[in-house]
Structures are given as C-alpha cells and as structure tokens.
Amino acid sequence: MSRERFYITTPIYYPSDKLHIGHTYCTVATDAFARYKRLRGCEVMFLTGTDEHGQKIEEKAKAAGLTPQEFVDRIVEGEGGILDLWKLMNISNDRFIRTTDDYHVKSIQYIFRRMYENGDIYKDKYVGKYCTPCESFWTDSQLKDGKCPDCGRDVTDAEEEAYFFRLSKYKDRVRELLLSGDFLEPASRVNEMIHNFIDCEGGLQDLCVSRTSFKWGIPVDFDPGHVVYVWIDALSNYITALGYGNDRYDDYEKFWPAVHIVGKEIVRFHSIIWPAMLMSLGEPLPKKVFGHGWLIIDGGKMSKSKGNVVDPYMLAERYGVDALRFFLMRTFPFGSDGNFTNELLLNTINNDLANDLGNLVSRTTAMAQKYFGGTLPANQAEGAEDAELIALASGLRSRYEDAMEKFAPHRALDEVFRVIQRANKYIDETTPWTLAKDMELNGARLARVLYNLLEVCRIAGVLLTPFMPESCRGIFEQIGAPENVRTWDSVASWGNMDANAAVTKGDALFPRIDVKAELEELENIAEAAKKAALPDIEIEPQSDETVDFDTFCKSDFRAVKVKSCEAVPKSDKLLKFTLDDGTGKDRQILSGIRKWYEPEQLVGKTLVAIVNLPPRKMMGLDSCGMLISAVHQKRGEEELNLIIVDDKIPAGAKLC
Ligand code: ME8
C-alpha cells in the first residue's frame, strides 16, 4: 500500500529585508505540521521559498547600489540570510523555491500564455495615477492624501496598457468553493472573504496581471514590454516547485494539491485568486488554505520604522531554537492574533519547559539513577495512584491528533502539558523519596512509579518531537528510549517503554531563566538595535520660513578668540569661556559643549559668537552671548561641532 501523501507550503516571503519573528512563526508552524505528518508515516513535501520580483525589490536594490538579483541573493543566501534563518530554526523543508529560479520563470511564461490562449487573460488599459518624477503608477487607494505615496508630489491621470485576468468569470465557482466544507479556515475568514471581496459593491473585479512601468519581473514572452505582475508569479510557485510547466521536477501528479499555511492578510489571494487561476488552468484546487493570525507588539503591527521588529536570530541564540519554536506554537492560538512580549516568552520557557517538562525529566532520571543505578528491576508493583495518570496519558495521542488535524497546535500542546503536569502531581502523590527509605518493602512499588514516569516522558517526547526535535532527542537519550518506541504507533497505547531501559541523567534540558535580568538585557539589546537601525548622520531639514534681511542683520556675529576655557563645577554640560571680542574687555560665554570638547584644546582658537543676545545666568554665572556650533544627529544622538575659523581673522571681526 502506498503511503499517504501530504503537501504543505508556507507563503514565499519577500526578500526585501531580514525576516522577523512573524515570518518565523508561520514557517515554524508549517514545519511542525510537516514533521507531525512525517511522524505519522506520511510521505511529505514541505515547500517554502522567496518571492523575489516586483517594484519594491527593484527600488530597494537601487537604493543599495546593487542589481535586483545581487540584492535578493544577499538576503536569501548571504550570511544571516533567509536560508541561514531556516537552518538555524531547524526547518525541515524538502524544497526551497526562488521565483528567480530559471525553471519557475519558464513555468510562469507557460502559465501566462495558457491563460492568454484560453481567453482568461486579455489586454486592456490600466487606468490610474502617474507620478512623473518617480515614474510610478498608483491606484487611487494607494495615494496618500491624493499625492504620490513615495515623494508626496502631485500625480496625474494616466493609462497604462496591461493584461488582465478574468477573475470575475470565476465569481460563482469561487464563492461555492469558499462555502464548501473546510476549504478555508478558520471558518470566520470565509464570511470575511465573501462579504469584502465577492458580494461587495462592484463584485469580484478582473485583476491586472502585467506591468510596463518596471522591469524587475518575469517578461511576458509574447509581449516583452510587459512583466508578469506579482500574484500570478508568486502564487504559481506552489505548482512550479513540483515541476508544473517545467522539467526540473516531476512531482506534480504525486503531491498536488496542497495545504497552504498563510498569514491572514494574504488569505484573499490564496482563497480567491489562486483557486480562480487553477480553475482557468483546469487543475485541481488546493486542499486547504489556513489563515493564521499575526504576532503583534503592544497591540500593533511590527514594523522597521517603529523599531519594534523582533529578531528571531537573537532570541534563538539566547534561549535555544527549541524553546523559541515551542513558545511560538504554545502561546498563540493559531488562527488568532497574539501579542508578543519578552515577558511572555521568558515565563513560558520557565513555566512549561524548565519547571514542568524539564523537571519531570530530570527528577525521573535522577531518581532512576539514584535508587536503581539507572535500570529499573522487572519486579514492579502497581498502586492506587496509577490509574488516573495512565488513563490520561493513554488517551493523549488521539486528543493530540484531533488538534493537529484541525491545525490547532496550541491545543495539541495544551493536551501534552496537561499530562506532564499530571505526572508531576503524581510524583508528589507517590513521594518516591519516602518509598526509597525502605527498599525491601517498597522497592517494587518505587520501580513501577518510576516506570510510569519514564513512560509519560516517552509519550510526551514523541508528541513534542514536531515542535522541539532536538530537545526530544535529548529526552529519549536520557530515558533510554530506543528508536522503536519513538514512533507514532508506539504512543497509541500505554506501556511500550522497555522496563529495563538504561536511564542516564543528562544536563538540564531547559535551564531556568532569571526573568528580571533577562528583561533588562533584552531591553538593552532592543535599544541598541533601534540605534543601529537609525541613519548614520541626520541633519535638520531646512526651514520653509523666510526671515527678512533687516531682521537677519540685527544678529551680530563676531569672531572671538578663546583666552581661557574651563569646566563649570557641578555641571556635566557647560564650559566657561573667557573671550577676546575685540572690544578690549573680556567677554564671558557659557556653552553646553562639554560632552564634545576638552577645555584646554580650545584655548587660542578663533570661534564665532552672537554677541547681542541678552545676558543670561547659567549655574549662577553670567553668559553674554552664544558660541555658534554646527549640529547634526549621529545614530539618533545630537552632536555639536564649534565653528572654528581661521586664526588670521582678528578678534571682533563682524560676520555678515
Ligand atoms: O506576503 N505575524 O510575503 P511577506 C505573523 N510574498 N505572521 C507574519 C507576520 C506577523 N507579524 N508578518 C509576516 C508576502 N508574517 C508574499 C506572499 S505567497 C504566494 C506570496 C508571515 O514577506 C505571514 O505568514 O510579506 C504572512 O502571510 C507572510 O509572513 C508574509 O510574508
């Protein structure tokens, strides 16, 4: 009998920047589903990749002084890039597609041509707004206050020749699909799609699928001025990666259709446009689209500009890949949004992993070592406390399966942890350390208690493997579980652990975290990252306000020579200058530039001061005028440079 096949995909991500915890969340979830299906014996194809074309990438590459291909290569394959991130996160994808791969390009041209030839793609005019300096087309909804969203300038009405996909033709079939069974989940998204995009005013509109205003895309081979506009290019990856329309792979018949795991903001593309494209091509429709929620921060979206993007590399390196994978799956119900906080992360690691799971394994293995030298005797005695634990653990696999089949990993984990917590309670109930006081009398009972605990560790280990592959391997090694009891079948029933397994006590699987200290540290790291993301040098924009010449002339700027300069006691900002201003009398000015200068280095220098400001007191001292500095921001911090002029300028010379 051939094995059940299962094809699962993540979205293909834009390599326009480093990926963040949100992308990691989706990929880890998809990885857990893929590993779960493999554990069940399915033949799995797990695909992820990158969506590399489009105007945004073209612009970013230009700003970085690179060709678009060089730019995406760096983000995808470069050090610390997307491939590295998935390797670090232990992602088990079978294939990785890049939309710039030759075979994909060829397939897209084939798909586009087929849809053109069957009449579902036609040429028409795209009516929009055009920004001449940016050479960009915009739709009305893209404009910001009626102006170009990039440069803020006026736009003009314009037309561009473009190809359109006859999406409207598939309206009824798509509606039917959305309403059928569980094609789109969570179910709440079905009404949202129908209401917002199909039964809305204007109904389902045809879709613009080509552009002539930028170059970074797959050329339409029969009309080379056009490039295929993103969604046909991107969505088709799910079949081109199997060999559809190319001879690179030959897995289409074998694996299609897929389950698509996507974020909620692209559910529309996957549940409406993608099925309609497949209908046009006469191909089978996807098995399912699951729209997961967003990880949000302080109630809002993560964004580079807000400087609150959470870095998965840093968290995985600090707390462990498995701990991070686990946290993401355990904490946020998969279909809903979840608020990410460092505190939640650290507390989940401490409570679930260090306390509940880690303690169960370490207490069990330590006691098996201490009381029986690592191997339990065959002579074991059941007790009254056993039944409840065994019943709960015996039914775990089917409850877990139910949750995983419904794409509810948080619920599957909840079931596992209920059993782990019950086992910890069982330790308190059976008090093995008391039993150990009289081994002759209670040795057999103690052996059974420890066997039951090892068995819970094993069952939990098997079911946690899709989430924490490495840590579970560690659990199996410590409890001495060989390969044949690490399988899906072996957790269908209780008691498959060998009674005489060799238990070893290893290192703590999940060290406890000092939450307070770590929160501070994470705060510092975030601050530093925010700073690093700031522009190197920033200068204040020039003023729009004009000043009339007479007013300007009233400001009396003079060259002044520094006779002496000293720090003002008790002030960390001020320097006190005694200046020769050409009048024959000393002038005293206080200036807040101590941070940038040593007083002695300024003595003898010729500076510029405005001398007709009213005198003011600072730290009890008179300051008569102000020294002029140039100011700019360096990585978000103000920096001042005194204007130091040529020493041949005599003291008191007027600047005008
Ligand atoms: O949309 N929380 O790529 P993309 C949870 N190239 N998930 C998040 C997230 C967050 N804060 N931020 C991103 C694209 N994601 C297209 C897809 S598919 C044919 C083309 C995840 O780089 C989520 O899965 O913007 C979302 O759908 C995806 O990243 C978007 O990635």
Side-chain angles (χ1 to χ4, degrees):
M1 210 180 70
S2 75
R3 289 194 293 159
E4 187 195 326
R5 292 188 179 128
F6 183 73
Y7 179 30
I8 191 162
T9 67
T10 71
I12 48 170
Y13 304 107
Y14 292 126
S16 49
D17 240 315
K18 272 190 132 182
L19 299 189
H20 58 61
I21 197 81
H23 305 104
T24 307
Y25 174 62
C26 179
T27 305
V28 164
T30 311
D31 184 63
F33 296 132
R35 286 177 183 271
Y36 156 72
K37 287 288 183 177
R38 286 191 204 107
L39 179 65
R40 300 203 51 173
C42 297
E43 192 176 358
V44 171
M45 172 65 78
F46 166 18
L47 174 72
T48 186
T50 40
D51 183 2
E52 306 193 350
H53 294 120
Q55 196 168 5
K56 189 167 167 200
I57 303 253
E58 192 176 80
E59 282 165 6
K60 282 217 145 193
K62 197 168 159 203
L66 298 170
T67 66
Q69 190 66 56
E70 286 166 346
F71 181 80
V72 294
D73 283 351
R74 198 178 275 193
I75 293 193
V76 177
E77 295 174 349
E79 202 187 320
I82 295 176
L83 290 176
D84 275 359
L85 176 61
W86 298 152
K87 198 162 154 205
L88 171 71
M89 293 308 299
N90 205 356
I91 302 303
S92 65
N93 56 301
D94 300 286
R95 213 157 272 180
F96 189 94
I97 187 169
R98 301 182 57 181
T99 54
T100 51
D101 287 337
D102 287 350
Y103 72 90
H104 174 79
V105 170
K106 199 172 145 233
S107 292
I108 293 304
Q109 291 177 328
Y110 165 76
I111 288 169
F112 199 93
R113 203 171 339 107
R114 268 196 54 193
M115 290 166 74
Y116 179 69
E117 282 165 4
N118 74 18
D120 276 351
I121 284 182
Y122 60 92
K123 203 172 194 175
D124 200 347
K125 286 211 160 50
Y126 174 80
V127 182
K129 304 285 180 193
Y130 192 69
C131 173
T132 315
C134 296
E135 295 179 39
S136 295
F137 258 98
W138 303 106
T139 58
D140 280 330
S141 62
Q142 286 174 314
L143 299 179
K144 238 192 217 152
D145 305 323
K147 312 235 180 208
C148 170
D150 271 2
C151 71
R153 277 180 271 222
D154 286 336
V155 289
T156 50
D157 287 328
E159 287 181 349
E160 191 188 40
E161 188 180 66
Y163 286 94
F164 285 80
F165 170 47
R166 240 177 258 288
L167 187 57
S168 55
K169 172 174 158 188
Y170 294 99
K171 176 176 165 183
D172 293 335
R173 282 180 66 192
V174 169
R175 183 202 277 106
E176 206 176 299
L177 173 71
L178 287 170
L179 290 170
S180 74
D182 49 10
F183 168 73
L184 172 59
E185 284 193 291
S188 57
R189 307 222 188 271
V190 172
N191 270 341
E192 192 185 314
M193 287 302 117
I194 293 185
H195 183 78
N196 293 350
F197 303 111
I198 297 185
D199 293 345
C200 60
E201 213 185 301
L204 195 55
Q205 304 273 329
D206 288 355
L207 184 76
C208 178
V209 290
S210 83
R211 287 294 159 93
T212 53
S213 52
F214 64 88
K215 293 274 158 294
W216 183 237
I218 298 179
V220 174
D221 56 358
F222 54 86
D223 195 350
H226 290 255
V227 295
V228 177
Y229 187 53
V230 291
W231 287 99
I232 285 200
D233 176 2
L235 289 162
S236 305
N237 91 87
Y238 301 128
I239 55 176
T240 65
L242 296 179
Y244 186 84
N246 64 70
D247 46 23
R248 169 75 181 270
Y249 297 110
D250 191 17
D251 294 313
Y252 181 67
E253 299 298 328
K254 190 169 169 191
F255 283 107
W256 184 253
V259 168
H260 299 305
I261 307 294
V262 300
K264 62 179 185 179
E265 82 290 358
I266 53 174
V267 161
R268 172 184 159 211
F269 301 100
H270 286 78
S271 66
I272 297 177
I273 297 172
W274 178 223
M277 282 173 58
L278 290 162
M279 287 170 191
S280 168
L281 292 168
E283 299 298 336
L285 305 181
K287 220 185 267 174
K288 176 182 296 293
V289 173
F290 191 99
H292 68 76
W294 280 347
L295 292 192
I296 50 182
I297 300 241
D298 305 325
K301 243 196 138 175
M302 269 178 253
S303 81
K304 273 245 149 164
S305 55
K306 281 195 230 160
N308 63 1
V309 176
V310 177
D311 178 5
Y313 291 86
M314 181 270 292
L315 292 179
E317 266 152 22
R318 242 181 138 71
Y319 307 115
V321 171
D322 278 350
L324 180 59
R325 288 174 59 107
F326 171 80
F327 162 73
L328 292 172
M329 295 295 95
R330 164 82 162 140
T331 315
F332 311 108
F334 194 50
S336 328
D337 288 350
N339 203 27
F340 178 97
T341 67
N342 289 330
E343 210 159 1
L344 201 52
L345 167 69
L346 302 179
N347 286 332
T348 304
I349 296 176
N350 272 355
N351 295 340
D352 290 345
L353 297 181
N355 286 0
D356 288 352
L357 175 61
N359 259 345
L360 175 65
V361 174
S362 71
R363 288 209 283 177
T364 304
T365 52
M367 289 191 290
Q369 272 287 336
K370 183 167 170 197
Y371 303 137
F372 297 106
T375 306
L376 304 181
N379 181 23
Q380 300 187 355
E382 287 171 16
E385 299 93 345
D386 301 355
E388 198 187 314
L389 177 69
I390 293 174
L392 194 68
S394 302
L396 177 60
R397 193 187 85 160
S398 77
R399 295 192 301 276
Y400 170 97
E401 178 182 14
D402 180 64
M404 290 302 274
E405 291 296 323
K406 294 197 172 101
F407 298 91
H410 55 288
R411 204 148 58 68
L413 287 171
D414 199 46
E415 291 294 347
V416 177
F417 273 75
R418 271 178 51 209
V419 175
I420 291 170
Q421 282 152 8
R422 185 65 192 80
N424 276 319
K425 191 167 154 222
Y426 175 83
I427 299 183
D428 299 337
E429 287 165 355
T430 53
T431 57
W433 47 92
T434 315
L435 295 173
K437 285 189 183 140
D438 188 344
M439 287 299 271
E440 207 149 308
L441 188 66
N442 299 321
R445 176 64 189 138
L446 178 60
R448 173 48 61 102
V449 166
L450 293 182
Y451 175 82
N452 288 343
L453 291 170
L454 287 172
E455 184 61 351
V456 170
C457 293
R458 179 186 73 85
I459 294 174
V462 172
L463 298 178
L464 289 174
T465 298
F467 300 93
M468 299 189 286
E470 281 311 307
S471 307
C472 291
R473 199 204 309 262
I475 294 176
F476 296 140
E477 276 162 17
Q478 293 196 18
I479 65 172
E483 290 290 342
N484 67 321
V485 290
R486 300 179 188 184
T487 63
W488 180 249
D489 283 347
S490 78
V491 291
S493 54
W494 178 263
N496 288 320
M497 182 79 183
D498 244 358
N500 60 358
V503 178
T504 46
K505 164 122 189 64
D507 295 336
L509 291 164
F510 305 100
R512 264 193 81 80
I513 296 170
D514 177 345
V515 174
K516 196 162 165 273
E518 274 304 312
L519 282 176
E520 270 171 34
E521 193 52 37
L522 287 174
E523 196 73 17
N524 294 339
I525 291 172
E527 270 311 305
K530 228 184 210 175
K531 269 205 185 138
L534 286 171
D536 223 14
I537 301 285
E538 255 182 312
I539 51 169
E540 199 179 305
Q542 293 187 7
S543 176
D544 286 338
E545 226 179 299
T546 51
V547 53
D548 64 76
F549 189 68
D550 289 345
T551 310
F552 165 71
C553 288
K554 284 184 193 154
S555 306
D556 196 359
F557 292 100
R558 302 284 170 154
V560 291
K561 301 217 181 247
V562 181
K563 294 175 77 171
S564 69
C565 176
E566 58 196 75
V568 173
K570 293 199 196 124
S571 165
D572 49 9
K573 287 204 185 117
L574 292 177
L575 292 183
K576 184 178 88 176
F577 289 83
T578 305
L579 302 159
D580 174 2
D581 63 1
T583 59
K585 272 200 281 171
D586 287 349
R587 173 181 291 269
Q588 175 169 295
I589 293 183
L590 302 180
S591 178
I593 51 161
R594 182 163 180 184
K595 194 167 154 196
W596 299 281
Y597 291 97
E598 293 301 326
E600 47 286 6
Q601 79 186 100
L602 294 170
V603 176
K605 297 277 188 237
T606 309
L607 309 177
V608 175
I610 175 165
V611 293
N612 60 341
L613 286 177
R616 56 187 281 219
K617 275 217 184 316
M618 296 158 98
M619 301 291 286
L621 299 168
D622 284 329
S623 181
C624 303
M626 191 174 88
L627 291 170
I628 307 300
S629 301
V631 57
H632 68 271
Q633 304 273 326
K634 186 164 184 186
R635 294 215 181 286
E637 289 209 21
E638 188 172 71
E639 207 167 285
L640 291 185
N641 281 287
L642 280 169
I643 303 299
I644 301 178
V645 295
D646 201 318
D647 288 332
K648 72 175 186 241
I649 300 173
K654 184 169 167 67
L655 277 80
C656 56

